Amino acid sequence: MYKRIVIDKFRGFDHFELNDLSRVNLIVGRNNAGKTSVLEALEMIALGGRPISLLRSPGRRGEVPSEESESRLRPEYDIRHLFYQHTFQEGAYFKICAYTAESVFDVSCKVRRPLIEQVSLIPEPDDIGAQLEIVIKGSENLDGTSIPVSPSGSMSGELRRIASQPVTSTQVPVAFLGTEGIDPALLQRMWDRLVLTSEEEKVVSAMQIIEPTIERIAFTTRDGRWPAHAWVKLKDNEHRVPLGSLGDGIRRLLSLAIYIARSSGGILLVDEIDTGLHYSTLEKMWQFIVESSMRLDIQVFATSHSGDCLRALAWLETDIPKLGSEISVHRIDKETGSSERYTSSEIELAFRHHIEVRG
């Protein structure tokens, strides 16, 4: 498990440290404090500096070139926003380091002029006219990969296929669950891998946090031409019920439970973890997450700015202290050099005395 993260020149961070990490880590702070950026930095570390990691967060954020590039036939991503203060010029760089009890892992990315004597591993698309290139290195990409980009920092989406390198045996499994939800077809493919395994029952148990009468879940498609549909079987009801009819909270818990199973032995990143969930379900949600992370050896990083989410942690500390000991809360502010850490017992004490800890 990661014990410490150091971020330099990445997105809104000049230099930032996240210390004394636990198995389950909740990151809190004001809007635009950099909570999501911390998750993205962790994703790049877990992906080991493979070139595809450069496209993950710009794709989720919709970071594309400005209007003048919209006529291009190939999709592009504007990766300059990965660099501190959106600065993209020769010499710009970012670096992320992660420390475990035994090792140090780092990812670095630098902008430079193409070296004439060096042939890029990724061919330059004809319509980009690249005058710069970026070089990314990491534990899964020790020799580094040079990638041509335009002077404004745009990278062709077609490089996604070329930049995706084979996963080596040392890579840490990583899953990123955002706030926008999951494509139903992707959710179905992930569910299919869990059917008839021990994790299928765990997923159903998670959904029962909101609807205790759920007994089973299934996905159906029509000739592969229509979107996947999720259905649930309710106790004492002979008709299958569309998952969507039970509300967004059920869908969120289903996604969360499937992503946990997918992350076994690795890292789970969840942005705004309480999205769509009523405060009354959050303590049981945390209990499920902590117990699952211990059982499957997962390290969890989640964000929130909800007082209800923190209050649920305080309740968990009171009701099941041994689970609370696996959790820490990190309040961040990108203007400071490091986070402020709280244990779950300190969060419980803060709520008892009405002390604000979210920033």
Side-chain angles (χ1 to χ4, degrees):
M1 292 196 303
Y2 298 144
K3 299 296 184 182
R4 178 177 178 238
I5 303 293
V6 178
I7 302 171
D8 283 308
K9 306 296 183 182
F10 181 72
R11 290 203 178 270
F13 294 113
D14 183 7
H15 176 85
F16 190 78
E17 298 184 10
L18 203 62
N19 298 306
D20 298 323
L21 299 173
S22 306
R23 176 171 296 280
V24 177
N25 303 272
L26 178 63
I27 301 168
V28 300
R30 298 175 183 270
N31 288 335
N32 199 35
K35 300 186 296 295
T36 303
S37 296
V38 170
L39 298 187
E40 293 168 342
L42 286 158
E43 181 181 42
M44 295 197 77
I45 280 288
L47 288 171
R50 296 165 59 214
I52 193 63
S53 64
L54 292 169
L55 302 179
R56 290 287 182 90
S57 64
R60 284 190 297 266
R61 289 180 183 248
E63 292 172 335
V64 297
S66 55
E67 305 85 308
E68 59 266 20
S69 299
E70 288 184 352
S71 61
R72 298 182 185 275
L73 296 177
R74 288 182 279 199
E76 293 186 356
Y77 297 94
D78 190 349
I79 63 169
R80 62 180 167 175
H81 306 295
L82 295 175
F83 296 83
Y84 181 56
Q85 294 185 334
H86 315 276
T87 301
F88 191 82
Q89 59 189 21
E90 185 178 3
Y93 77 96
F94 65 79
K95 185 174 183 179
I96 306 162
C97 295
Y99 299 79
T100 68
E102 303 84 17
S103 305
V104 180
F105 301 91
D106 65 82
V107 169
S108 64
C109 186
K110 186 175 183 180
V111 182
R112 71 182 185 189
R113 296 287 175 182
L115 302 178
I116 297 177
E117 66 275 14
Q118 177 177 329
V119 178
S120 173
L121 297 182
I122 297 179
E124 176 184 336
D126 294 335
D127 62 343
I128 288 184
Q131 300 176 28
L132 294 171
E133 66 181 15
I134 56 175
V135 180
I136 184 168
K137 298 181 179 180
S139 59
E140 296 288 325
N141 186 19
L142 295 176
D143 295 331
T145 301
S146 59
I147 305 173
V149 291
S150 72
S152 63
S154 64
M155 178 188 295
S156 170
E158 286 198 355
L159 291 176
R160 192 182 278 271
R161 177 181 60 83
I162 305 172
S164 182
Q165 299 175 340
V167 178
T168 70
S169 60
T170 60
Q171 186 186 1
V172 175
V174 57
F176 193 115
L177 179 58
T179 58
E180 67 284 353
I182 308 173
D183 176 71
L186 173 59
L187 197 62
Q188 180 186 22
R189 290 196 297 272
M190 295 170 65
W191 171 252
D192 287 345
R193 299 189 188 104
L194 302 179
V195 172
L196 301 182
T197 72
S198 60
E199 294 306 312
E200 179 180 3
E201 182 179 345
K202 301 296 184 183
V203 173
V204 173
S205 295
M207 298 172 66
Q208 290 170 344
I209 292 174
I210 291 179
E211 180 47 74
T213 65
I214 291 178
E215 294 183 335
R216 294 180 60 193
I217 177 174
F219 284 82
T220 63
T221 57
R222 191 183 307 168
D223 301 327
R225 294 175 297 173
W226 300 90
H229 291 282
W231 307 84
V232 293
K233 170 68 173 64
L234 303 181
K235 184 178 180 181
D236 298 327
N237 190 329
E238 63 181 31
H239 301 290
R240 63 185 184 182
V241 177
L243 180 72
S245 68
L246 300 182
D248 291 338
I250 283 285
R251 190 181 299 276
R252 182 65 168 179
L253 280 177
L254 172 62
S255 301
L256 186 58
I258 290 178
Y259 266 60
I260 286 174
R262 176 186 176 186
S263 306
S264 179
I267 305 293
L268 174 63
L269 309 168
V270 187
D271 204 11
E272 301 297 348
I273 192 168
D274 51 313
T275 297
L277 298 175
H278 190 261
Y279 77 90
S280 63
T281 68
L282 294 177
E283 183 181 359
K284 289 184 177 179
M285 177 203 74
W286 280 121
Q287 180 179 349
F288 173 76
I289 288 173
V290 178
E291 290 176 344
S292 298
S293 66
M294 296 171 66
R295 177 171 52 85
L296 297 174
D297 190 24
I298 301 169
Q299 189 171 22
V300 179
F301 296 87
T303 70
S304 178
H305 49 67
S306 164
D308 290 334
C309 200
L310 281 170
R311 190 173 293 108
L313 285 180
W315 293 337
L316 186 65
E317 168 65 27
T318 299
D319 295 341
I320 317 177
K322 68 176 182 179
L323 295 184
S325 64
E326 297 287 334
I327 298 173
S328 60
V329 176
H330 304 264
R331 186 175 73 184
I332 72 170
D333 183 340
K334 62 187 176 184
E335 302 302 324
T336 64
S338 62
S339 62
E340 188 168 357
R341 183 185 189 276
Y342 302 90
T343 64
S344 60
S345 59
E346 290 171 332
I347 293 295
E348 192 273 336
L349 184 64
F351 271 98
R352 190 187 308 165
H353 295 281
H354 307 285
I355 302 172
E356 178 60 73
V357 297
R358 290 173 294 173

